[in-house]
Amino acid sequence: MTAVFNPSRRDMLKAAGALTAATLPLGDALAQTAVPFSAGTEPPKTAVPAHACDSHIHIFSTRFPASAHWKGQPVADSDVAAYRLFQKRIGTSRTVVVTPSTYGIDNRATLDGVAQLGASARAVVVVDLDVTEAELKDMAARGAVGIRVNFVTPQSWGATTAERLEAMARKVHPLGWHVQVYMTGDQIADHAEVLARLPTPLVIDHLARLLPGQGLNHRAVPVVLKLLDGGRTWMKLSGAYLNTTSGPPAYADATEVARLFAKAAPERMVWGSDWPHRGEKHMPDDAGLFDLLADWAPSEAARRRILVDNPATLYSFGRS
């Protein structure tokens, strides 16, 4: 993780207020919009299809305190009101809210965010082994479609093991949910057999978090490609700024990886912004991150698949 970025409530209000102060003509219809936790103000240069989905964001609200286990960056309001400014600037309309490590197994902020966003949103939650069937069904009724199992950052139960991953997959399988894993490339390579035998669909976070500087030479690449070839693994084309030494705006090393994955299984790629970019000292330009997709998937048809059709399948959105 990079250095902590912890804006005050005053900073948040100032950024939100800049929505009107920073509104300038762009072409004959578009406007520049300042968004909290995001650099830049211009919209993407790439066309955004109707019903485009941002498949990875986090909602934080000071109404919901951090989990007792969490010793990192404190909660700051990056809430639905702020995210709607993001949507206005970028042009996406569907959203997947993922419970972050900050909240442990407390999914209230995530589910509250989904409730505010309505039918255009889904949730990926974090649960412990003692979660009951009734609790899972309640979350399903409130928009949850999967769980996240995190091997990278601190969890309320301590270290995440392969045994826990398999147990959680078995627990949510009857609901038709998927399991999203946040693992480094090395962890993916080390757990290849476990990942391949999970009973649920598998979603891999953030371009597989390959070690920056290794890229396509990383030992996890053939593992990921084999998982993708198996037909039940999905990849989040997200977090380019987490997987780079070359940096913005092109993120050349992350782009090389993203192109490979997008070509390998275009029918199981989804795109995510990772807003509000927790832990980043310098906020990325979200329009620039969106425009990377035009390099990763050059055809308009491929981008529509990644932004609209694939999320509709994975997250059970309507097709219209």
Side-chain angles (χ1 to χ4, degrees):
M1 283 289 183
T2 55
V4 168
F5 177 73
N6 182 26
S8 67
R9 184 179 293 272
R10 178 178 296 176
D11 293 332
M12 285 287 296
L13 292 173
K14 185 185 296 183
L19 172 63
T20 54
T23 299
L24 300 170
L26 182 65
D28 54 5
L30 298 177
Q32 295 179 341
T33 301
V35 177
F37 305 98
S38 180
T41 57
E42 295 184 359
K45 297 178 178 66
T46 310
V48 184
H51 310 300
C53 184
D54 181 353
S55 297
H56 193 104
I57 75 157
H58 305 292
I59 292 292
F60 294 88
S61 172
T62 50
R63 292 183 294 123
F64 305 108
S67 168
H69 86 282
W70 184 252
K71 308 303 179 186
Q73 183 178 2
V75 172
D77 283 320
S78 45
D79 53 15
V80 170
Y83 184 68
R84 288 196 186 281
L85 296 178
F86 174 98
Q87 289 182 308
K88 183 174 182 179
R89 176 187 172 200
I90 302 303
T92 54
S93 56
R94 290 174 174 169
T95 313
V96 180
V97 185
V98 180
T99 298
S101 297
T102 308
Y103 282 129
I105 58 171
D106 181 356
N107 294 289
R108 288 180 298 167
T110 292
L111 294 171
D112 179 73
V114 168
Q116 292 183 59
L117 290 164
S120 64
R122 298 289 184 269
V124 174
V125 296
V126 177
V127 297
D128 208 340
L129 288 167
D130 60 358
V131 67
T132 66
E133 181 180 1
E135 288 171 327
L136 290 172
K137 288 183 176 179
D138 175 69
M139 287 188 281
R142 298 164 68 188
V145 292
I147 58 169
R148 191 190 202 200
V149 182
N150 188 331
F151 285 72
V152 178
T153 53
Q155 300 297 293
S156 55
W157 53 73
T160 301
T161 63
E163 292 75 19
R164 172 180 286 272
L165 172 61
E166 290 195 273
M168 293 311 308
R170 289 193 297 269
K171 187 175 282 282
V172 304
H173 178 54
L175 283 79
W177 286 12
H178 66 266
V179 172
Q180 177 178 322
V181 293
Y182 185 33
M183 308 173 90
T184 65
D186 285 331
Q187 289 169 330
I188 291 170
D190 290 342
H191 293 84
E193 293 183 4
V194 173
L195 295 172
R197 67 173 179 250
L198 293 180
T200 62
L202 171 69
V203 180
I204 298 176
D205 263 1
H206 299 328
L207 298 173
R209 286 308 309 268
L210 303 180
L211 190 67
Q214 292 191 15
L216 296 183
N217 295 318
H218 195 284
R219 65 192 181 99
V221 170
V223 174
V224 172
L225 291 176
K226 185 175 180 180
L227 288 168
L228 291 172
D229 285 344
R232 297 173 60 253
T233 296
W234 300 68
M235 173 64 68
K236 287 199 173 183
L237 299 174
S238 59
Y241 59 91
L242 301 172
N243 299 278
T244 186
T245 56
S246 57
Y251 299 97
D253 41 5
T255 285
E256 192 176 38
V257 171
R259 283 177 186 155
L260 177 69
F261 293 155
K263 185 176 181 180
E267 74 281 11
R268 274 173 282 107
M269 297 287 121
V270 294
W271 175 86
S273 67
D274 196 29
W275 186 90
H277 314 296
R278 292 275 286 182
E280 294 300 302
K281 182 178 180 180
H282 303 290
M283 292 292 107
D285 181 341
D286 283 292
L289 292 179
F290 184 88
D291 283 331
L292 289 174
L293 191 56
D295 198 350
W296 301 350
S299 79
E300 184 177 351
R303 292 194 298 276
R304 177 179 172 81
R305 194 173 198 178
I306 291 166
L307 291 166
V308 182
D309 300 335
N310 293 349
T313 297
L314 180 60
Y315 300 113
S316 300
F317 288 113
R319 290 284 177 178
S320 62

